[in-house]
Amino acid sequence: MLKKRLIGVVTVRQGWAVQSFGYRRYLPLGKPEVVVENLDRWGADEILISCIDRSETGQGPDFKLLERIAALGLSTPVIYAGGVRNGADAVQAVNLGADRIQVDAMLWDLPAELELLSRELGNQALIAHLPVSIRDGALYWRNYRNGEECLLDHAALSRMYLEWVSEVMLTDWVHEGTPGAFDEAIPKLFPLEEKPLLLFGGLSASAQLQRVLSLNNVVAAGVGNFLHYKEHAIQQIKRNLVGVPMRAAHYASEER
Amino acid sequence: MTRRTIGIVDYGVGNHASVLRAFQSLGYRCRVSRDPSVLAECDVLVLPGVGAYPTAMSALTACELVGFLQERARGGQPIIGLCLGMQLLADVSHEHGVTAGLGLIPGEVVPLTTVPWHIGWNTIEVVNGDDLLAPSDQQSVYFNHSYVFRAPEEYQVCVSRLDRSFTVGVRRGKVVGLQFHPEKSQSVGRVMLRNLVEGLTRA
Amino acid sequence: MKYCKLCLQPDTRPNTYFSDDGICPACTYFAALKEVDWLERVDILKDIFAQRTRKPNQHHDCIIGISGGKDSCRQALWVRDFLGVNPLLVCLSYPPEQVTQRGVDNLSNLIELGFDVVVSAPAPKTWRDLKRDGFGEFTNSFRSTELALFSCVPQIALRYNIDLILWGENPALQLGDMRALGRNGYDGNNLRYMNTLMSGKEWMLKRGYTERELIAYTYPGVEEFLEANLNIIYLGWFLGDWSLVNNAMYSCGYGLEIRSDDVSATGDLYGVTALDEDFTPINQMIKYYKFGFGRTTDYVNEEIRLGRISRSDGIELVSKYDHCCSSGYIKNYCDYLGISIEDFWKQVHASVNRELFTIHADGRIERKFSIGVGL
Amino acid sequence: MSPVTSNQQPGESVACKRCLYKTDHPLGLILDEEGICSGCRIHEEKDRLDWQARWKKLESLVAPYRVASGKTYDCIVPVTGANDSYYIVHLVKERLGLNPLLVTYNKYFNTPLGIRNLANLRIQFNCDILIQNVNPSSVKAITRTTLREFGSIYWPCLAGQTVFPVQTAVRYKIPLIIWGAHQGVEQVGMYSHEHEVEMTRRYRKDHDLMGREADDLLSIFDTLSEDDIWQYRYPDDATLDAVGVRGIYLGNYVRWDPKAQHEAMVEKHQYKGARFARTFDTYDHVDCYNFMDLHDHLKMLKHGYSKVTDHACREIRHGRLTSAQAKSLVQQHEHQPLQHVDKFCEWLGVEQRSLEFILNQHRNPNIWKPMGPGQWERTVLPSEECCNVATVKQEIGFTAHANLDNGEQDRYIIIGKGYPT
């Protein structure tokens, strides 16, 4: 049967893999390709490489990083996010080894482009990313570049051409980096019931992950900072995720 | 020790990088090419593929590879189609209108019925007792597609299941098609690719 | 007390049984060596290694227990450069207070000859306390340290997942400790029954040491050996020219540094044994007062068997040096154990074999037996 | 914590306003909006966290690892003849009451003082120790490759000392490894103390080993073989999981202050420090002829700063140096001439000018401008500082008790006696 997915999220800033806290404070981690290679060995179901400063600086996707990662010959599906402005960017990122593309800034700047991306890559390859927070019981969508927020109702959603994407990632940006702080009301408040959701931001403990992954419209959960505090962090989470259909923890044994 | 050579068909669409690295990490010599003479010398041909069916078929035609691939298949050359590459083996596809495929394995490509796409890790069940895929029965592999290859029962080698089962693996002689991404299915995928190449190239 | 007819080995060594015609086991063994087809024996060893397959990510083919002295240097070089296998050398090193500069230099020399070496060194204070208690109880401060020495190699072999240990000489054959005799000449698995190991660590536990202090003094059980299919093989059985002097000559050619004192200080004829510490002369002297033979006898016996000196010349050397041990070494030994010279001699006198020696009022110990003749 | 960070362009290196580090620090450094770096911010936790409570946490963490039967050791403690080893064993044995197996990887660049300190450590704390000596031909073969490929003479030392304890944990089935402070936390505030980060293979490859594990050194163009590097391979995940290996850092549970700790160990357990030409710190690296010499020079070539800057930043953060005093100490020490290159050349079997040729291929172009054959100049010259270095050193009070050669012959020691003194 189809499994729920545990995604290893690698936040990249100025070429460095970093820990991110509430979209505003960062701590240095290391080289993205070494972090990604490690998540591949740990058996993450997918790896999301999220370059958070590409759109702000208008540099487009970090193709060099994708090339360095492809050269590692890893065999875990990779989602690339960061600076994808148009169809050409998306196709080139896929050619360089990304399996799926996630967009955020494009939803504000050029949402119609999603139709072209879908025609090129198929909407199963596309994910929309919405940083959200809850105020007075409602979801607010944040433009991380300028801090602007708008109510995430059907009107706002209709302007995003989400019919061309297969999945939506909701990030509880306020609680990002705070262990166990993800606001579990977020997936329940999202207006499009049947859109498969990926959740991120403050998800750390297995019990909490188990609860959100048991919601039927939630297909994946992303973990970022908390994967870097212990060895075999992915496997430890999987081991404790009882009752969730997920690939079992895998401990590689290199028979040389 | 002569290492097997894998010819990855380059028709300008799809993720060569990952497929190339996967076979290289298994120790195989690889060629990424659209030149029939180069591809003809390879032990196994691989059709990668991410993206839209019509774009892929027009690219194959433009590179004059359609006839070449059909002739090689008739001649018994092992061919492995991955994801979109599998669908290209079919007679026809209904993605974005109707497009003729390579016709190497009977069947047509149609959209998934009950759900719009099949994304993520799912178990496969090997059917018709296929010897090469048997060791991978009941293992989880990575899917990322919204169309499916509906093939006659005798050409199905493995199926997967959402609310009901559908074909995710076809084979006719030495031509094999897999709907999922073994190059992105970690150790399970590596074992499967090795079994396929070794099995298909055994005399 | 009787002497072997051929050499100067008295029958007082534990677990030693002379033949009916009065020949010691070592001479009997040595005599039998003449007919040995050494090439055939080496082939046995080559086959043993040929059948071995390396475990994944394990590039060592066997373990050799070493101290950095004459035997280890020779064995390591022969195993690597003649047999062409890659040994891991394992060394139990004395604590900083006891090891000599020569000892650490010889170990460094062995490493520089290109060997992988794991050095295990037990906790210095526990080591010294056990030596003091061993001296107090058995007039033998080496009982604990020998147990650590013999335990260290199989302990590491089991943990490093290497199932073949190469050891120097078979104490049963070359030194006559019969109970260590294995199934065939080179099988070492009965090593555990050797006199030194028989006492185990029970006496230490009885004196109040706890298990956690005695990890380094725990010889692995038979079950551990069997479960890991761990085997011990004596290289001495394969090396036809194995001898104290020969091994020293091989190793000196590769940089071995030998003792700078002379036989009158240690009873060590050529100064090629006990290179890594200076308490052995004391232990050999005490062995002489307990069993009537010391370090000089060991040398002389070999020289006699090899026909390099006559039995009568041997008698002169033994009577002149077998009891020798410089007062300076005794002083260092007492300082190390934290006992006075008087306590030292009181303890030694209590262990002197009164059948073999008389102790005069002034403390002088005089031999009752005559070397080579006995009582 | 203060709000969003300042927005400097990638590649351009900006200095922290409090300490001397810049954003091109090899471990990564991030400045906040007030221009204060992540290292200084995390250091503030040392004066904010409740260290009594954190010590209790440590006690409960190690409790399940105590071996009641005493049949094996409670934990593994990596040690050397310097680098906080005394204080670590003091905490593990004297304060936590654990029965550790000490382990050390022989770096072969040992000073007599380092040999003495390690021998004295074993006596003072009465611990068993296991010492790994990899055959020197493999070590030199690796050193030639790492020196050529990425300008490091220290890769084997770093790889050996970070993997031998883990291999020993697996072989001896002793799951708990106890390290001192986490270098990433101490230097650049990579983690908060409250993250209680543990040992990972990823951190080792990424930072300790400059992105290259043992197998990454092999190439079909080089003669380095698997037989040379296999002893530096990390145990695989299945083995680590089967034994339950886990490495913790005391620095997450104890307010880490190397200078104070060393002074306590000098007083209580006769640790000995020594003077260095290239730093004012007399404690951290007395066990190695190269760390504060040729290795430090390479650090300057590749990263544009040397170890004295690490020591200076540490002392600024502990409030024992002002920024100006720190800068003047750095300027006085960082370009002092090397004193032990001849030993390294003899050890590796290379000529000095030939070695310099290799080193110069690894100068960081962002930092060193070629001025002609064999001449380079730093692109960014630090501003001149005017503090009186002598008085500063007098005040901060790092003491030395012996020379590196400890009165013996001045040479690398492979295995030493180290007693008495």
Side-chain angles (χ1 to χ4, degrees):
Chain A
M1 71 181 277
L2 188 63
K3 308 285 194 289
K4 302 264 180 167
R5 309 191 306 262
L6 181 63
I7 301 175
V9 177
V10 183
T11 303
V12 180
R13 180 178 174 281
Q14 292 177 2
W16 271 85
V18 294
Q19 285 193 78
S20 172
F21 302 87
Y23 268 41
R24 58 181 174 68
R25 190 173 68 83
Y26 307 95
L27 290 178
L29 265 180
K31 293 183 264 305
E33 51 269 37
V34 181
V35 173
V36 167
E37 179 188 48
N38 189 67
L39 291 172
D40 170 79
R41 201 187 70 252
W42 278 357
D45 298 319
E46 274 173 333
I47 297 173
L48 166 60
I49 300 167
S50 172
C51 300
I52 59 173
D53 52 357
R54 304 301 292 194
S55 292
E56 267 171 317
T57 53
Q59 293 169 298
D62 192 339
F63 293 124
K64 284 208 175 47
L65 173 61
L66 275 173
E67 266 170 347
R68 290 203 304 274
I69 286 171
L72 301 172
L74 306 182
S75 54
T76 300
V78 164
I79 305 167
Y80 175 77
V84 177
R85 298 156 295 194
N86 48 45
D89 279 354
V91 168
Q92 189 177 351
V94 165
N95 279 344
L96 290 174
D99 297 281
R100 305 174 74 201
I101 300 295
Q102 179 179 288
V103 294
D104 184 328
M106 185 192 283
L107 299 174
W108 297 87
D109 303 344
L110 195 62
E113 184 75 1
L114 282 176
E115 181 178 2
L116 183 121
L117 261 68
S118 169
R119 200 175 314 112
E120 286 290 332
L121 303 172
N123 52 20
Q124 75 277 359
L126 301 176
I127 303 169
H129 178 244
L130 305 180
V132 292
S133 61
I134 294 179
R135 277 213 317 288
D136 334 323
L139 271 184
Y140 280 79
W141 174 34
R142 178 183 173 84
N143 184 332
Y144 70 92
R145 287 174 291 176
N146 57 25
E148 200 193 306
E149 296 213 327
C150 89
L151 183 64
L152 193 59
D153 54 15
H154 280 286
L157 286 168
S158 63
R159 290 197 301 275
M160 291 189 219
Y161 294 82
L162 293 185
E163 61 275 25
W164 299 112
V165 299
S166 51
E167 296 175 342
V168 169
M169 172 177 264
L170 299 179
T171 294
D172 181 352
W173 64 272
V174 175
H175 298 113
E176 182 210 38
T178 311
F182 178 82
D183 188 333
E184 293 171 36
I186 287 177
K188 296 162 183 149
L189 286 170
F190 187 66
L192 306 178
E193 267 91 20
E194 16 54 59
K195 205 61 160 180
L197 296 179
L198 289 66
L199 304 178
F200 177 62
L203 286 167
S204 62
S206 294
Q208 181 193 36
L209 282 162
Q210 197 169 319
R211 280 196 301 276
V212 295
L213 283 171
S214 304
L215 302 172
N216 43 36
N217 62 338
V218 174
V219 292
V223 182
N225 297 0
F226 314 111
L227 295 179
H228 299 290
Y229 303 158
K230 302 282 186 291
E231 184 64 81
H232 301 153
I234 288 272
Q235 292 99 321
Q236 300 298 358
I237 291 174
K238 282 190 171 228
R239 233 180 206 163
N240 302 329
L241 265 185
V242 176
V244 172
M246 182 171 273
R247 277 191 327 137
H250 171 68
Y251 293 87
S253 62
E254 280 128 22
E255 294 307 330
R256 281 189 195 79
Chain B
M1 184 266 279
T2 56
R3 292 190 304 155
R4 299 257 179 268
T5 309
I6 311 294
I8 298 170
V9 181
D10 166 19
Y11 49 97
V13 168
N15 57 348
H16 316 306
S18 321
V19 173
L20 170 67
R21 298 287 176 211
F23 282 108
Q24 279 175 335
S25 72
L26 288 170
Y28 294 118
R29 187 175 300 156
C30 296
R31 303 278 183 275
V32 177
S33 169
R34 61 184 64 177
D35 176 351
S37 60
V38 169
L39 293 172
E41 281 160 20
C42 299
D43 299 301
V44 179
L45 295 183
V46 173
L47 271 169
V50 170
Y53 198 99
T55 328
M57 272 316 290
S58 56
L60 276 178
T61 317
C63 307
E64 291 153 10
L65 286 170
V66 174
F68 167 76
L69 289 169
Q70 289 162 342
E71 174 215 313
R72 297 307 295 174
R74 269 195 302 279
Q77 160 130 44
I79 296 179
I80 303 176
L82 299 176
C83 195
L84 175 65
M86 169 212 191
Q87 296 172 355
L88 296 176
L89 305 175
D91 295 324
V92 66
S93 163
H94 297 277
E95 181 186 348
H96 304 318
V98 175
T99 318
L102 293 170
L104 300 184
I105 297 181
E108 53 183 348
V109 174
V110 295
L112 280 165
T113 48
T114 51
V115 285
W117 44 73
H118 179 203
I119 298 169
W121 296 81
N122 203 345
T123 38
I124 54 171
E125 294 140 50
V126 178
V127 295
N128 294 338
D130 184 274
D131 55 349
L132 300 186
L133 291 176
S136 310
D137 186 48
Q138 287 305 338
Q139 297 203 332
S140 291
V141 286
Y142 184 73
F143 289 90
N144 185 11
H145 64 109
S146 40
Y147 284 77
V148 69
F149 188 129
R150 219 174 36 217
E153 209 273 335
E154 71 261 36
Y155 296 122
Q156 294 175 23
V157 282
C158 65
V159 299
S160 188
R161 204 176 294 275
L162 286 171
D163 36 23
R164 53 173 193 67
S165 77
F166 50 89
T167 310
V168 290
V170 291
R171 179 174 176 187
R172 183 162 180 271
K174 297 212 167 180
V175 178
V176 178
L178 301 174
Q179 185 57 69
F180 47 86
H181 289 275
E183 79 281 9
K184 290 289 177 154
S185 301
Q186 299 180 348
S187 48
V188 168
R190 276 193 292 275
V191 167
M192 188 184 293
L193 284 177
R194 181 187 298 282
N195 290 346
L196 272 178
V197 169
E198 295 305 319
L200 290 173
T201 52
R202 243 198 315 277
Chain C
M1 172 200 198
K2 316 207 276 26
Y3 276 88
C4 168
K5 284 205 173 50
L6 300 178
C7 70
L8 293 174
Q9 177 59 50
D11 60 356
T12 50
R13 182 195 291 275
N15 308 326
T16 305
Y17 312 100
F18 280 22
S19 65
D20 303 341
D21 46 19
I23 307 295
C24 78
C27 282
T28 316
Y29 169 75
F30 186 77
L33 291 188
K34 294 196 178 49
E35 290 79 32
V36 165
D37 175 344
W38 295 103
L39 187 58
E40 188 196 331
R41 287 195 175 185
V42 165
D43 288 345
I44 294 173
L45 193 55
K46 282 185 174 170
D47 289 348
I48 287 173
F49 276 106
Q51 287 139 23
R52 288 173 60 75
T53 52
R54 281 181 177 172
K55 299 189 177 84
N57 200 28
Q58 171 60 273
H59 288 229
H60 289 132
D61 300 306
C62 62
I63 275 185
I64 305 178
I66 60 138
S67 63
K70 63 182 177 351
D71 296 343
S72 15
C73 189
R74 186 217 164 144
Q75 288 171 72
L77 289 161
W78 187 71
V79 166
R80 183 187 67 186
D81 300 340
F82 174 76
L83 288 181
V85 299
N86 181 22
L88 172 64
L89 308 189
V90 171
C91 166
L92 183 99
S93 137
Y94 294 100
E97 306 98 314
Q98 181 179 356
V99 75
T100 58
Q101 188 57 48
R102 174 180 46 248
V104 294
D105 289 345
N106 279 333
L107 196 51
S108 303
N109 177 59
L110 204 49
I111 293 171
E112 280 197 296
L113 286 169
F115 290 97
D116 294 324
V117 181
V118 172
V119 175
S120 167
K125 183 177 175 306
T126 306
W127 176 277
R128 180 168 51 191
D129 295 346
L130 283 169
K131 278 184 89 68
R132 186 175 51 245
D133 294 345
F135 182 72
E137 199 157 328
F138 313 103
T139 322
N140 177 359
S141 69
F142 278 71
R143 178 154 297 198
S144 54
T145 50
E146 265 179 11
L147 180 56
L149 181 93
F150 280 103
S151 304
C152 164
V153 175
Q155 272 188 8
I156 288 184
L158 291 168
R159 287 162 172 159
Y160 275 64
N161 202 6
I162 299 170
D163 57 12
L164 178 60
I165 296 174
L166 300 182
W167 212 274
E169 48 198 352
N170 178 343
L173 298 178
Q174 268 124 344
L175 301 175
D177 187 334
M178 299 312 288
R179 276 200 297 181
L181 194 65
R183 288 190 303 276
N184 43 40
Y186 58 84
D187 161 31
N189 283 337
N190 281 357
L191 191 62
R192 74 181 61 263
Y193 304 112
M194 204 173 89
N195 175 36
T196 321
L197 301 185
M198 277 311 290
S199 64
K201 56 180 181 180
E202 285 67 29
W203 69 275
M204 305 177 190
L205 293 167
K206 269 204 227 67
R207 288 192 72 98
Y209 290 88
T210 60
E211 281 288 351
R212 70 195 301 218
E213 292 169 297
L214 299 178
I215 294 170
Y217 301 87
T218 308
Y219 196 85
V222 180
E223 340 68 46
E224 286 177 275
F225 269 74
L226 297 177
E227 195 195 310
N229 189 17
L230 178 59
N231 281 301
I232 299 180
I233 285 181
Y234 293 116
L235 278 184
W237 195 74
F238 300 95
L239 292 171
D241 67 350
W242 180 276
S243 79
L244 206 139
V245 169
N246 261 347
N247 289 5
M249 284 198 285
Y250 272 107
S251 301
C252 287
Y254 278 93
L256 185 79
E257 185 192 332
I258 64 176
R259 299 188 68 91
S260 49
D261 49 22
D262 68 35
V263 65
S264 61
T266 59
D268 182 335
L269 270 182
Y270 306 123
V272 292
T273 63
L275 302 176
D276 50 7
E277 58 87 47
D278 288 333
F279 295 158
T280 297
I282 285 101
N283 209 42
Q284 289 297 332
M285 177 187 75
I286 293 169
K287 178 174 102 181
Y288 172 72
Y289 288 133
K290 284 182 182 173
F291 303 108
F293 68 95
R295 174 49 40 107
T296 312
T297 302
D298 292 337
Y299 262 94
V300 162
N301 285 346
E302 226 181 50
E303 296 292 85
I304 292 171
R305 285 178 206 129
L306 293 170
R308 289 155 57 107
I309 62 169
S310 67
R311 193 169 188 275
S312 56
D313 293 350
I315 289 170
E316 204 196 319
L317 286 171
V318 167
S319 49
K320 218 161 148 212
Y321 299 117
D322 218 9
H323 58 283
C324 289
C325 178
S326 94
S327 55
Y329 288 143
I330 291 175
K331 174 83 173 66
N332 296 345
Y333 183 70
C334 293
D335 292 347
Y336 174 75
L337 293 185
I339 60 175
S340 67
I341 305 281
E342 293 69 28
D343 296 345
F344 170 79
W345 283 111
K346 203 183 307 138
Q347 179 66 35
V348 170
H349 287 169
S351 309
V352 168
N353 185 332
R354 294 306 172 96
E355 289 167 25
L356 305 178
F357 298 92
T358 48
I359 304 176
H360 297 286
D362 62 2
R364 199 165 44 76
I365 305 170
E366 195 194 358
R367 198 175 349 101
K368 286 185 186 167
F369 59 95
S370 53
I371 307 288
V373 174
L375 270 178
Chain D
M1 299 314 275
S2 54
V4 180
T5 64
S6 67
N7 210 333
Q8 82 266 11
Q9 288 314 314
E12 172 212 344
S13 154
V14 181
C16 168
K17 286 209 170 61
R18 182 180 298 169
C19 74
L20 309 184
Y21 282 143
K22 298 200 298 240
T23 48
D24 61 0
H25 190 292
L27 296 180
L29 192 81
I30 290 172
L31 305 185
D32 66 14
E33 208 165 45
E34 292 160 28
I36 303 296
C37 78
S38 38
C40 288
R41 283 304 179 208
I42 294 297
H43 185 93
E44 289 166 5
E45 291 183 349
K46 289 182 193 271
D47 303 318
R48 196 183 76 241
L49 295 177
D50 174 351
W51 292 102
Q52 260 66 35
R54 299 201 64 72
W55 177 263
K56 292 248 169 326
K57 234 180 184 209
L58 175 63
E59 282 174 331
S60 55
L61 190 158
V62 302
Y65 293 96
R66 293 180 194 277
V67 180
S69 71
K71 287 265 195 285
T72 184
Y73 304 94
D74 297 329
C75 63
I76 284 178
V77 176
V79 291
T80 65
N83 321 91
D84 291 312
S85 292
Y86 275 57
Y87 189 66
I88 293 166
V89 180
H90 159 68
L91 291 177
V92 168
K93 184 150 188 182
E94 291 181 341
R95 295 213 27 219
L96 287 172
L98 293 167
N99 180 28
L101 170 63
L102 307 185
V103 293
T104 188
Y105 166 83
N106 192 338
K107 300 192 282 262
Y108 293 141
F109 302 145
N110 306 312
T111 62
L113 182 57
I115 294 290
R116 178 265 167 197
N117 278 345
L118 186 54
N120 183 53
L121 173 85
R122 287 164 49 198
I123 295 169
Q124 289 285 326
F125 296 105
N126 192 32
C127 291
D128 292 356
I129 190 167
L130 198 65
I131 305 159
Q132 179 185 34
N133 306 279
V134 176
N135 73 82
S137 44
S138 289
V139 176
K140 289 172 189 174
I142 295 170
T143 306
R144 287 189 194 92
T145 294
T146 57
L147 184 57
R148 184 189 67 248
E149 291 300 315
F150 48 95
S152 170
I153 62 165
Y154 229 67
W155 189 93
C157 305
L158 296 165
Q161 64 194 27
T162 52
V163 80
F164 182 56
V166 186
Q167 293 164 341
T168 307
V170 166
R171 289 174 183 137
Y172 282 62
K173 298 213 172 8
I174 303 168
L176 181 65
I177 301 170
I178 300 183
W179 302 88
H182 188 284
Q183 190 186 40
V185 173
E186 283 296 304
Q187 287 192 10
V188 298
M190 194 174 276
Y191 299 96
S192 157
H193 294 87
E194 294 178 295
H195 292 155
E196 290 169 15
V197 70
E198 294 188 5
M199 172 183 81
T200 62
R201 175 173 175 177
R202 197 275 311 172
Y203 180 89
R204 172 183 185 249
K205 170 167 185 170
D206 203 339
H207 298 303
D208 294 330
L209 304 187
M210 300 147 261
R212 294 157 180 91
E213 284 189 303
D215 287 87
D216 302 322
L217 302 181
L218 298 180
S219 140
I220 54 173
F221 311 129
D222 191 356
T223 54
L224 192 65
S225 76
E226 208 182 324
D227 279 340
D228 292 320
I229 56 100
W230 71 283
Q231 297 185 79
Y232 296 91
R233 282 176 174 148
Y234 210 77
D236 60 39
D237 290 325
T239 313
L240 293 175
D241 178 60
V243 176
V245 173
R246 192 179 164 196
I248 64 169
Y249 294 93
L250 292 173
N252 289 330
Y253 306 98
V254 169
R255 185 185 182 285
W256 211 252
D257 179 353
K259 175 173 186 286
Q261 288 160 193
H262 274 117
E263 283 159 358
M265 289 303 110
V266 166
E267 207 262 328
K268 193 163 185 286
H269 288 291
Q270 290 78 51
Y271 178 76
K272 283 188 175 178
R275 289 259 168 264
F276 286 101
R278 290 171 66 89
T279 184
F280 56 89
D281 183 288
T282 54
Y283 303 122
D284 266 0
H285 300 288
V286 299
D287 64 330
C288 179
Y289 272 116
N290 277 321
F291 194 93
M292 282 313 311
D293 198 81
L294 183 58
H295 174 67
D296 195 45
H297 174 58
L298 261 164
K299 181 177 170 124
M300 171 61 82
L301 300 186
K302 291 192 291 187
H303 303 301
Y305 73 101
S306 44
K307 199 62 196 170
V308 64
T309 298
D310 296 325
H311 293 142
C313 292
R314 183 190 70 201
E315 294 309 309
I316 289 172
R317 292 173 180 167
H318 277 290
R320 290 190 282 255
L321 280 180
T322 66
S323 172
Q325 288 174 328
K327 279 192 185 126
S328 53
L329 285 180
V330 167
Q331 270 152 27
Q332 201 245 351
H333 282 288
E334 71 177 348
H335 289 301
Q336 291 303 322
L338 304 185
Q339 296 167 326
H340 305 295
V341 180
D342 51 352
K343 296 192 187 65
F344 179 78
C345 290
E346 198 214 330
W347 178 76
L348 190 59
V350 295
E351 294 299 322
Q352 188 146 343
R353 274 187 55 75
S354 319
L355 176 65
E356 272 153 31
F357 161 70
I358 302 175
L359 305 187
N360 287 329
Q361 308 317 310
H362 297 289
R363 285 180 186 263
N364 183 331
N366 301 335
I367 295 162
W368 298 95
K369 251 198 343 285
M371 306 301 290
Q375 280 113 23
W376 278 267
E377 219 180 56
R378 290 175 75 157
T379 46
V380 175
L381 280 176
S383 56
E384 273 311 312
E385 278 308 321
C386 58
C387 289
N388 178 323
V389 169
T391 46
V392 172
K393 280 209 232 178
Q394 233 295 327
E395 270 160 35
I396 193 164
F398 278 84
T399 53
H401 315 85
N403 293 327
L404 283 190
D405 62 26
N406 200 28
E408 296 181 29
Q409 190 198 348
D410 188 28
R411 62 180 169 81
Y412 290 167
I413 294 187
I414 296 179
I415 301 279
K417 177 170 167 64
Y419 179 89
T421 65

